[in-house]
Amino acid sequence: MDEQTIRQIVAGVLAQCAGSGQLGGTQRRPNEVPVEVSARHVHLSQGDVERLFGPGYQLTPKRDLSQPGQFLCEERVSLVTAKGELRNVAILGPTRSQTQVELSQTDCRTLGIKAPVRLSGNLAGAQDVHIFSPKGAIQAVGSVIIAQNHIHMTPADAQFYGVQDGQKVRVRMETGRPITFEDVLIRVSASAGLAMHIDFDEANACCFGGKEPGLLLKD
């Protein structure tokens, strides 16, 4: 058997595994999705990076995240309002066109602000906060949201689950306190890593232990 034939066989097996939910010796149920907790964090524009850390400054990657191309940074900041403060808040890279702060409802109460629940990138009605670093400070006007829970997936994943970009589904959490999340948004991208993202309030509400799957339910 020549090398080209072997390559074709291997490619066919991998494609079948991807379509059946099996790969690398693991198998997921047809509606099972991995779940990750997204802690409070900040996305900065390059202009705000330089205002906080100095002219020409570049964020320092610490470790990669599950979404390809995104990373946790070494740098940390504080979020301050007239009513409260959150210290040691993570920055995620790379930089964006507009600064965005993603908090939980509990975080917003600590700061005394009422932020809207929005999909990342939608800053309609977003609230203001001051961001401090050891070298500078900015007023991030219209930057604070509570991130809507959502599921990242590739087009192949969307085909596997029978969903499409922008669709809303329910997700049943198989945890110590099982609950079902409503209106979970599907986000399809060729560069996505399969994961449902919830915040710490949502994780605590269902007693999420860090490894339990969610079950995707369609009406």
Side-chain angles (χ1 to χ4, degrees), residues 166-186:
Q167 182 176 344
K168 291 183 178 180
V169 299
R170 293 176 292 125
V171 176
R172 176 72 173 175
M173 297 297 297
E174 293 197 322
T175 54
R177 182 184 288 168
I179 63 174
T180 299
F181 290 116
E182 304 284 341
D183 296 330
V184 180
L185 197 72
I186 301 296

Side-chain angles (χ1 to χ4, degrees), residues 9 16 32 51 61 63 71 90 95 101 106 113 118 131 147 152 157 178:
I9 293 174
Q16 290 177 357
E32 184 177 298
R51 281 183 276 274
R63 64 174 174 83
F71 53 89
T95 56
V101 179
T106 298
I113 58 179
R118 294 281 186 267
I131 303 177
H152 291 285
D157 292 324

Side-chain angles (χ1 to χ4, degrees), residues 100-103 114-127 142-150 185 187 199:
Q100 176 176 293
V101 179
E102 297 183 31
L103 303 178
K114 295 182 179 180
V117 177
R118 294 281 186 267
L119 189 64
S120 179
N122 179 2
L123 298 181
Q127 296 296 292
S143 65
V144 182
I145 62 170
I146 299 171
Q148 179 181 348
N149 51 29
H150 54 278
L185 197 72
R187 304 193 71 177
D199 67 22

Side-chain angles (χ1 to χ4, degrees), residues 3-74:
E3 181 180 354
Q4 182 62 30
T5 302
I6 294 174
R7 288 180 180 274
Q8 291 174 346
I9 293 174
V10 171
V13 172
L14 290 175
Q16 290 177 357
C17 287
S20 64
Q22 303 178 61
L23 194 58
T26 63
Q27 181 174 0
R28 67 174 184 264
R29 286 168 288 179
N31 63 336
E32 184 177 298
V33 294
V35 179
E36 298 176 347
V37 181
S38 182
R40 68 177 76 110
H41 62 271
V42 175
H43 300 279
L44 293 173
S45 67
Q46 181 58 35
D48 284 344
V49 168
E50 297 187 24
R51 281 183 276 274
L52 287 168
F53 298 101
Y57 192 89
Q58 299 294 314
L59 294 172
T60 310
K62 182 175 183 179
R63 64 174 174 83
D64 291 334
L65 302 177
S66 64
Q67 298 308 304
Q70 299 186 26
F71 53 89
L72 174 68
C73 301
E74 294 282 358

